[in-house]
Amino acid sequence: MRRAVGAAAALALAGTSLPAQAQDFINVLTGGTSGVYYPLGVALSKVFTDKVQGSRPSVQATKASVENLTLLQQGKGEIGFTLGDSLAMGWAGDEEAGFKSKLDKLRGITAIYPNYIQIVATQESGIKSLADLKGKRLSVGAPKSGTELNARAILQGAGLTYKDLGKVEYLPFGESVELMKNRQLDATLQSAGLGVSSIRDLATSVPIVVVEIPASVVDKVGTPYVKATIPANTYGGQTAPVQTAAVVNYLVTHSGVKDETVYQMTKAIYESLPDLAAAHAAAKDIKLESALSGMPVPMHPGAQRYFDEKGIKKQGS
C-alpha cells in the first residue's frame, strides 16, 4: 500500500512539473521604449501567448539592432528586431559596427517593414538641408546602434563626418527629443517606422523641419539603402512630402531555437498582421510576398517551412 501511495505521489509530482518543462521561453528583443520595435514586440508577445501553444513570451527593451544580434548569438533571446545593414554586418563580423566576431548562429525569420531615416530639426535651428548640419548639435542614436550606423552612412553619403558637427549626442529617441525641447540639441536622426511616437511628440511641442535626404545621397550610400518618401502630414507642421532613405527591418532568431517553435512564431505573425498594425502603423508595411526579400543570413528551417507552405520564394536582395 505504501509503495502504491508513493508511486502515485511521484506520478502526481511528475505531472505537475510537465507543463513547466513543455513551455518554450520566447524572449522578444526589441529596442528603446519610445521607438517602434518595443510596441511591436509587446504586440508580438501577446500574439505568441495566444497562438504558440506552450510558450512563455517576454519582452526585453534593448539598444536595438546591434545588441539584439549579439544577444541572439549568445542564446539570450529567441526572436529579435534588427535593421538589414546591421544584420549583414553582424553576419560578416564587422568590428567597426560593434561585432567582435562573425555571428554565425543568426538565422532569418522574415523581412518586416522599412525603417525610414528621419532627420528632424527644430525650426529655430535654421537647419533646412544636410549641409546645414555643419556646426550643429545632432543626436545619432545609441553608440553602435542600428540608428547610429545609419547616421554614419547617410552623413558620409552627404560628404560629412561627425567632426563637421558642432556636437554629437549618442542618445535614444525619447531623450533626444527632450533635449530638443529644451534647446540643448538642434536635430535628431531617428531610424524608425513612419509616425514614430518620439517625433510626433516633438512636433506637438516645437515647430520642426523634416530634413530631406536627396536621391543623389541615397545613390552614393548604396545597398541596402533605398529611396523613400515621408508622406505629407506624417508629423505636425510637415505639410509637404519629404524625400529620404529607407532600409528594411528583419525579425531574426538563432540556430538553437526549435524548428517547431520558429514555425509557430512565423505562422502566428502572418495570421496576426491586423493586431500588429493596431500596435503601430509601421506594421501595415509587413507583406507576406516580400517576407524573404534581401535576407542577408540563412533562413531558420522553421520559418522556411512556413514560407514553403505558402509558396513564397526568395527574391533578389
Side-chain angles (χ1 to χ4, degrees), residues 81 91 102 174 242 257 297:
F81 290 80
W91 182 250
K102 177 180 169 67
V242 177
V257 182
V297 300

Side-chain angles (χ1 to χ4, degrees), residues 128-189:
K128 295 179 180 177
S129 69
L130 290 176
D132 294 336
L133 290 171
K134 283 185 180 178
K136 301 294 186 179
R137 300 165 298 177
L138 174 69
S139 178
V140 294
K144 304 289 189 184
S145 64
T147 293
E148 202 241 321
L149 296 179
N150 292 168
R152 288 175 185 266
I154 296 300
L155 289 174
Q156 186 176 10
L160 298 168
T161 69
Y162 287 173
K163 291 179 182 176
D164 295 311
L165 304 173
K167 188 177 183 182
V168 179
E169 294 281 6
Y170 299 88
L171 296 170
F173 296 171
E175 289 179 39
S176 302
V177 163
E178 289 308 311
L179 286 186
M180 289 178 73
K181 289 180 189 177
N182 296 329
R183 299 182 174 179
Q184 294 172 280
L185 197 62
D186 299 307
T188 177
L189 182 148

Side-chain angles (χ1 to χ4, degrees), residues 270 286-293 307 312-315:
Y270 281 97
I286 302 175
K287 311 286 185 191
L288 180 62
E289 56 269 25
S290 55
L292 303 180
S293 180
F307 296 122
I312 304 299
K313 305 293 183 186
K314 187 167 185 176
Q315 300 166 2

Side-chain angles (χ1 to χ4, degrees), residues 5-317:
V5 171
L11 281 170
L13 283 171
T16 58
S17 67
L18 277 173
Q21 289 175 344
Q23 284 178 332
D24 285 320
F25 289 95
I26 300 177
N27 189 23
V28 184
L29 303 171
T30 59
T33 54
S34 57
V36 177
Y37 287 175
Y38 186 80
L40 281 184
V42 172
L44 275 183
S45 74
K46 291 176 182 172
V47 164
F48 295 156
T49 298
D50 293 341
K51 298 189 176 179
V52 180
Q53 193 172 6
S55 68
R56 282 188 63 185
S58 58
V59 181
Q60 183 175 341
T62 68
K63 293 175 184 174
S65 299
V66 176
E67 184 179 5
N68 291 349
L69 296 174
T70 302
L71 289 170
L72 287 170
Q73 176 73 14
Q74 295 167 352
K76 295 179 180 176
E78 284 65 47
I79 184 170
F81 290 80
T82 181
L83 279 164
D85 53 345
S86 300
L87 182 55
M89 290 172 183
W91 182 250
D94 188 318
E95 282 194 45
E96 282 190 23
F99 302 105
K100 294 177 183 176
S101 60
K102 177 180 169 67
L103 304 187
D104 59 351
K105 294 179 182 176
L106 297 178
R107 296 293 183 268
I109 294 180
T110 184
I112 41 176
Y113 62 90
N115 252 28
Y116 290 74
I117 316 303
Q118 301 169 75
I119 302 176
V120 179
T122 58
Q123 202 172 79
E124 71 173 22
S125 70
I127 298 169
K128 295 179 180 177
S129 69
L130 290 176
D132 294 336
L133 290 171
K134 283 185 180 178
K136 301 294 186 179
R137 300 165 298 177
L138 174 69
S139 178
V140 294
K144 304 289 189 184
S145 64
T147 293
E148 202 241 321
L149 296 179
N150 292 168
R152 288 175 185 266
I154 296 300
L155 289 174
Q156 186 176 10
L160 298 168
T161 69
Y162 287 173
K163 291 179 182 176
D164 295 311
L165 304 173
K167 188 177 183 182
V168 179
E169 294 281 6
Y170 299 88
L171 296 170
F173 296 171
E175 289 179 39
S176 302
V177 163
E178 289 308 311
L179 286 186
M180 289 178 73
K181 289 180 189 177
N182 296 329
R183 299 182 174 179
Q184 294 172 280
L185 197 62
D186 299 307
T188 177
L189 182 148
Q190 304 198 359
S191 180
L194 289 177
V196 62
S197 61
S198 50
I199 299 177
R200 285 209 318 268
D201 174 35
L202 178 66
T204 61
S205 304
V206 297
I208 64 166
V209 173
V210 181
V211 180
E212 180 185 48
I213 300 176
S216 58
V217 170
V218 182
D219 288 337
K220 282 181 187 174
V221 179
T223 307
Y225 295 88
V226 296
K227 302 176 191 74
T229 302
I230 301 172
N233 302 310
T234 298
Y235 301 106
Q238 181 227 333
T239 56
V242 177
Q243 295 302 302
T244 192
V247 61
V248 175
N249 286 287
Y250 293 89
L251 284 170
V252 290
T253 184
H254 63 81
S255 55
V257 182
K258 290 186 293 187
D259 290 4
E260 182 62 24
T261 301
V262 177
Y263 172 80
Q264 293 296 340
M265 286 196 295
T266 310
K267 187 171 186 282
I269 290 165
Y270 281 97
E271 288 181 352
S272 310
L273 292 181
D275 297 320
L276 299 182
H280 199 287
K284 292 176 182 175
D285 286 331
I286 302 175
K287 311 286 185 191
L288 180 62
E289 56 269 25
S290 55
L292 303 180
S293 180
M295 179 66 75
V297 300
M299 289 294 293
H300 191 287
Q304 188 64 57
R305 176 183 147 204
Y306 176 77
F307 296 122
D308 287 346
E309 288 178 359
K310 292 294 181 181
I312 304 299
K313 305 293 183 186
K314 187 167 185 176
Q315 300 166 2
S317 57

